Amino acid sequence: MKRSTFLKLAIASAVAVPTLSACGGSKSSSSGGAAKAEDAEGPVRVWFMQDSISEEAQEYLKKTFAEKNSGKELTIEIQQWDGIQSKLQTALASDDECPDVVETGNTQSAAYLAVGAFADLSDKYESLGGDKLIPSFVKAGEYEGGKYALPLYAGARGVFYRKDLFKKAGLAEPKTIDDFHDTIIKLTKANPDKVKGFSGIYLAAADIHGVESYLFAAGGDYATESDGKWTAQVSSEASLAALKQIQDIFKNGTTFANDSQTGQKNFQQNFNNGQVGILIGTGNVGTKIDQKLWDADKVGVMALPSKTAGKVGATFAGGSNISVAAKAQHPNGAASVLDIIFSDEFQKLIAKNGFTPGNLDYAGEVSGAFGKISQDVIAASKLTPNTANWANFISDSTLKNFYTKIANGSDVAKEAKQFDDQLNKTLNQKES
C-alpha cells in the first residue's frame, strides 16, 4: 500500500502511540515511548457519524459518563459521511485537533490500522464483550495480533416488502434469489394499485450497498484472498450471472436506477407513498416506514434469499467500528466511554434504533420485525475486501460509477473484466 500524506505524518510523528492498557501508566506505548498516565485538560471528544447513534443513546452516554467521571466533561461531535476520510486523516495526525474516540465505517477502518492511528484495545477486548462481538467486524479491526477497532453496530441488509401488493399480484414470498429477481419483474408489470411510474423494487446505482448485497446473495463477489494475494472475482461466472440479473432489474424492475445520492438516502419515502413495493435495507429502515403500513399489516420482512431455497443469502455487512485515537489526549476518559458503549443499556439503545449492536447477545433486541431475522442476516453477511488498499483506493464513487455503467446498459462482461483488472492491480499493491 502506498502511504498517503497522512500516513507519512502519522509514522514520522514523535508522539507516542499509547494502548488503553497503558493509560494508567503501567506500560510503555507500542512505539516505545512513555505512555500517557493522566488525561489532559478539556472535554473528552467523541466523533460519531451522522444517523449512526440516536439522540437518546447520545444523551445516555453523556449522562452516564458524567455520573462515572466526576468533574470530567464529554462532548459528542456528529460528522458527515461525505468527505470523512480526508477529515479523519487531518484530525488523527494532529496533536491539537485529534478526537479521543472515533467511529469509522467498517470498510474504512483498515486504512488506519497499519499506521498507528488507533490505540490497541486488546486488553479491553474481553471486558467489552469478547467473542460475543461480531466476529467479522473484530477481524476487520485487527492488525498484527492487536485489536484496534471493535464493532459499534452492523447494518446488514434484509428485505421489506408490501404484503398487500404481493397478494393482489398473486405473488408469494420468494424462496431463492432467482425467485426474487422474477418476483421483482412480475410485481413491476402487475402494478396492482395502478400507480404511475411504479417500481417493483427500489434499486439505484447510488445505493451501492443495496446492489452489492444482491451480488453477494446471488453468489458473486469482488475478490478473494489466499496467502496474501487477492484475486478479483467480478468477472467470475457467479458474479456475471448476478450482474446480468441486476442489469435486468435496473431496466425492467425499477425506475430509480439513476436516482441521486440524496434520493437514495430517503428511499423509504417511495415505499411509504406506494411508488415502490420492495426495499433492500438495514434494520433501521423499518423505523422510517409509515406506522400506518405496519398497523395495517401491509409490510413483510424477510432475509435476502440465496441460490439455495431455505438458505439466507450473504449481504454487505455495513456498519461501523469504534476506536480510541492513538493521539487521544484523554485515554482514561476514552476507556470509560468504551465501557459505557458496550454496556447492556447502550447496546439495547443501538438495537432500539434498528441496527444490530456490536455485541450479538443483543441482536434480538433490534426493534420491530427486523429483529426476528437480524441474527441470521448478520451471520450470513460479508465485508468488502478487508485490506487497506480497498479502504484507500476503492471509493464509493468508484463502485457507483461501475454500477451506473451496468444500469445504463453497458456490456456486463466487458465492464466486469475492466473492474477485475483494476482490482487485481489495486488490491495487490505493496507498502512503499
Side-chain angles (χ1 to χ4, degrees), residues 295-308:
D295 293 343
D297 194 29
K298 292 183 177 181
V299 183
V301 179
M302 59 174 282
L304 200 62
S306 67
K307 297 286 287 186
T308 304

Side-chain angles (χ1 to χ4, degrees), residues 234-282:
V234 182
S235 59
S236 68
E237 182 178 351
S239 293
L240 285 178
L243 289 170
K244 288 176 181 178
Q245 285 191 342
I246 289 168
Q247 186 173 63
D248 187 41
I249 293 169
F250 278 140
K251 181 179 180 181
N252 299 306
T254 187
T255 61
F256 294 95
N258 287 303
D259 198 15
S260 67
Q261 194 74 42
T262 300
Q264 182 269 319
K265 289 179 179 179
N266 296 291
F267 71 157
Q268 74 281 347
Q269 293 178 358
N270 304 296
F271 189 88
N272 288 336
N273 65 22
Q275 196 76 24
V276 163
I278 302 170
L279 299 177
I280 297 176
T282 52

Side-chain angles (χ1 to χ4, degrees), residues 42-105:
V44 177
R45 298 171 60 208
V46 178
W47 277 19
F48 284 140
M49 299 306 301
Q50 183 185 23
D51 298 329
S52 288
I53 304 299
S54 68
E55 290 186 9
E56 182 181 5
Q58 291 178 45
E59 289 303 315
Y60 176 83
L61 178 59
K62 288 189 285 189
K63 177 177 179 291
T64 307
F65 182 86
E67 292 171 351
K68 293 180 177 293
N69 298 275
S70 178
K72 286 189 176 182
E73 181 184 356
L74 174 71
T75 63
I76 295 175
E77 302 167 27
I78 302 301
Q79 307 298 324
Q80 304 298 310
W81 286 104
D82 292 342
I84 187 57
Q85 283 193 265
S86 176
K87 190 170 184 178
L88 276 171
Q89 288 170 358
T90 300
L92 291 172
S94 171
D95 292 329
D96 300 322
E97 299 300 324
C98 184
D100 297 295
V101 179
V102 182
E103 173 188 347
T104 53

